Amino acid sequence: MSDDILGAAIDAAARALAAATSVVVFTGAGVSAESGIPTFRSGANALWSNADIAQFANPTGYRRRPHDAWSWYAKRAQVAREAQPNAAHHAIAEIERRVSSFVLVTQNVDGLHRRAGSANVIELHGTLRRARCFACSRYSEWPEPPGEPTCGDCGGLLRPDVVMFEEMLPEGAMEAAIDAARACDVLFSVGTSALVWPAAEIPRAAVNAGKTVVVVNPDLEGHPWGRTTISVRGAAGAVLPRVVERAWNREQR
Ligand code: OAD
């Protein structure tokens, strides 16, 4: 995208934001890429490019290789803990402070949105801040150091409180996110390939309801399954602060 075209897209996104009273932001791994967290399907370190790992990212595979699985998730939890929210996370938190109705729906489990100050957050795929027991379902803070994956209460197998392949999303999360997407004025879809269902149903619900949908992604023109109103082909950390800045400056003029 040339600088002129990128500038025009940022301007269009800023106009949509300035006119909105109700905003939904839907995020994926790309929003944390500039914090040094690998995405799932893009870049040299893409998590799912390692077939071995993909094997235990489901409950059956996890139980089969609990120590490998636990240490892989523990490493991801450590990377997330040591990472810092970037300019995109901060810009999204700023949008929440500025508009009267705001919902952030994230597929990320790294906790960076909350650390940047976002409050109304639906963590669709759970979080690496917590562990829970397969056997007694007790939740606990992620243990540090992680040690053995053994529940302190019942001796059962510990796992991260994240959604694995073949599992249901947290109860009520999809319904709340879809309702917000249908009711908003504008939905920003940031840093996601939007290939994973049912999560991708959320931006699609906004598209189908005729809402303004802004896709922010350096590699994609839009989502594969529907119309995007505005496509901003840039890195989230570079683009979103500019969108926010222009939206509120315009308002003051
Ligand atoms: P993906 O890895 O599928 O997509 C990340 C997207 O971010 C890609 O389209 C990149 O082009 C884009 N991207 C990279 N750097 C960016 C940047 N600086 N700014 C903006 N965009 C950037 O990750 P997700 O869409 O999050 O689920 O994947 C969805 C789900 O698939 C994950 O939550 C995970 C995975 O299986 C579970 O683990 C349940």
Side-chain angles (χ1 to χ4, degrees):
M1 202 176 240
S2 76
D3 284 354
D4 281 358
I5 296 174
L6 180 62
I10 288 173
D11 217 35
R15 253 180 277 124
L17 182 57
T21 53
S22 173
V23 176
V24 170
V25 178
F26 175 67
T27 64
V31 80
S32 295
E34 289 154 88
S35 295
I37 296 184
T39 65
F40 292 92
R41 299 176 182 79
S42 63
N45 300 322
L47 293 173
W48 294 156
S49 61
N50 184 333
D52 191 43
I53 285 164
Q55 275 175 24
F56 53 63
N58 64 75
T60 313
Y62 189 101
R63 286 174 194 274
R64 204 177 288 136
R65 292 171 56 189
H67 287 93
D68 290 343
W70 179 249
S71 25
W72 182 66
Y73 281 109
K75 181 70 197 159
R76 282 181 63 199
Q78 183 190 357
V79 168
R81 213 172 30 248
E82 289 172 358
Q84 295 303 321
N86 66 49
H89 298 104
H90 289 298
I92 291 166
E94 179 66 15
I95 296 173
E96 181 168 8
R97 288 190 285 271
R98 297 268 190 167
V99 297
S100 53
S101 168
F102 180 88
V103 181
L104 171 59
V105 186
T106 187
Q107 300 165 90
N108 299 346
V109 296
D110 56 35
L112 289 178
H113 283 302
R114 287 189 194 275
R115 283 172 53 200
S118 289
N120 195 15
V121 187
I122 298 176
E123 290 176 316
L124 215 53
H125 291 164
T127 174
L128 283 169
R129 291 188 313 278
R130 279 192 305 265
R132 77 183 147 90
C133 175
F134 263 118
C136 72
S137 301
R138 189 179 73 98
Y139 291 87
S140 50
E141 284 298 301
W142 186 270
E144 195 46 52
E148 291 291 305
T150 308
C151 174
D153 272 9
C154 75
L157 178 61
L158 277 188
R159 55 164 290 170
D161 184 24
V162 301
V163 176
M164 296 185 200
F165 287 118
E166 301 161 17
E167 292 189 311
M168 307 285 285
L169 302 190
E171 210 182 323
M174 263 314 279
E175 293 77 357
I178 294 278
D179 286 352
R182 287 195 182 125
C184 71
D185 300 315
V186 55
L187 180 143
F188 285 79
S189 183
V190 182
T192 178
S193 58
L195 291 172
V196 172
W197 302 86
E201 202 60 66
I202 292 154
R204 196 167 74 160
V207 167
N208 289 346
K211 305 300 179 174
T212 300
V213 174
V214 182
V215 171
V216 178
N217 194 312
D219 310 315
L220 297 179
E221 191 59 43
H223 290 327
W225 34 254
R227 189 182 55 85
T228 295
T229 326
I230 300 165
S231 171
V232 189
R233 293 279 301 266
V239 157
L240 285 179
R242 289 176 66 188
V243 170
V244 168
E245 210 263 327
R246 284 195 199 189
W248 313 135
N249 279 348
R250 183 190 311 282
E251 216 179 38
Q252 282 156 16
R253 279 203 289 266

